[in-house]
Amino acid sequence: MTSDDRKKAAALAAVAYISSGMKLGLGTGSTAKHFVDAVGEKVKQGWDLVCVPTSEATRKQAESLGIRLTTLDETPVLDVTVDGADELDSELRLIKGGGGALLREKIVASSSRQMIVIADDSKKVATLGKYPLPVEVVPFGLKATGIKIDQALAWSGNKGPLIVRMRDGKPFVTDNGNVILDCALGHIHNPEKLAAALSSIPGVVEHGLFIGMASIAIIATENGVETLKK
């Protein structure tokens, strides 16, 4: 079973948690893409679903599948958000933002009664941090903000270089017009303390630590799908 097969298996397993009439948040990324495809199949079968996408890429995919979309202004409370993760630990703390959609992903997840994470088993780790932690920042004052992020890392017992995410030789720009600093920490000490410190910095729009948000993780392995609950 390939990595993509496992991602698809996790996505299909999440369909058991949704039903016609629900309001859904649709995640972003290679695993979430399989879930959006599955939602499209349910819509073709006649299910009544209305969804909020977490990125322009997901919006385009959902529209191509005939999924009815809404916004959080029109539908401010959702039933379930299903999304992937770049890393998750046994306490269902997550690192997200590898695809650059962390701000909208966090807003949508926090507007949902339940967040379900879908992933293949390579994303489950004993300690968060091997995957670089994304921090979305406004372009204005980028260097000054970076200094404050370094200070926040040190204060919370963490250390590692900050790298401006690039694409095609230019800084990657999010759907919200911001840039991302990837923090290569290797190991995150006290994720809660780091999350609070990052959130307090002017210029930081959002960070990729999702703590206390996911209640269920569906993880696909070579031997089948396992479910973790908080």
Side-chain angles (χ1 to χ4, degrees):
M1 184 182 284
T2 67
S3 172
D4 194 60
D5 289 336
R6 295 198 298 276
K7 292 176 182 180
K8 186 173 183 179
L12 293 178
V15 175
Y17 292 87
I18 66 172
S19 57
S20 185
M22 278 189 168
K23 305 175 185 70
L24 303 178
L26 301 178
T28 295
S30 57
T31 309
K33 187 174 184 293
H34 288 299
F35 179 75
V36 177
D37 284 338
V39 170
E41 286 299 314
K42 291 300 183 183
V43 169
K44 285 181 183 177
Q45 294 169 19
W47 280 29
D48 177 26
L49 298 169
V50 61
C51 303
V52 174
T54 55
S55 66
E56 291 305 303
T58 298
R59 179 184 62 78
K60 291 174 183 176
Q61 180 192 0
E63 286 178 341
S64 74
L65 296 169
I67 297 171
R68 185 158 59 100
L69 299 181
T70 185
T71 66
L72 288 178
D73 290 324
E74 297 168 335
T75 312
V77 179
L78 306 177
D79 295 303
V80 181
T81 286
V82 178
D83 205 348
D86 298 302
E87 280 188 349
L88 70 148
D89 67 11
S90 59
E91 296 182 45
L92 301 193
R93 297 178 296 192
L94 317 173
I95 287 181
K96 289 179 55 56
L102 63 154
L103 174 58
R104 296 190 188 185
E105 287 173 336
K106 192 173 281 190
I107 292 172
V108 171
S110 68
S111 302
S112 304
R113 294 186 177 94
Q114 184 177 46
M115 180 187 186
I116 298 173
V117 178
I118 51 177
D120 66 276
D121 53 357
S122 70
K123 304 299 174 63
K124 189 170 184 295
V125 297
T127 305
L128 297 177
K130 185 176 181 182
Y131 192 93
L133 174 65
V135 181
E136 183 167 345
V137 300
V138 296
F140 177 82
L142 179 60
K143 187 172 182 179
T145 302
I147 291 171
K148 294 181 182 71
I149 293 173
D150 270 329
Q151 292 168 345
L153 293 176
W155 179 77
S156 60
N158 295 281
K159 185 177 182 180
L162 309 184
I163 302 165
V164 178
R165 187 177 298 182
M166 306 293 287
R167 179 171 291 177
D168 300 325
K170 298 182 293 185
F172 170 81
V173 177
T174 69
D175 287 342
N176 317 294
N178 300 312
V179 297
I180 289 180
L181 294 174
D182 287 312
C183 307
L185 306 177
H187 178 111
I188 294 179
H189 299 275
N190 200 330
E192 288 81 3
K193 188 173 183 179
L194 176 57
L198 292 173
S199 294
S200 71
I201 298 172
V204 169
V205 181
E206 195 49 84
H207 56 78
L209 283 169
F210 284 51
I211 297 174
M213 303 189 76
S215 57
I216 295 174
I218 299 172
I219 302 169
T221 73
E222 285 286 349
N223 301 315
V225 174
E226 65 176 50
T227 302
L228 302 179
K229 295 185 179 181
K230 191 165 183 181

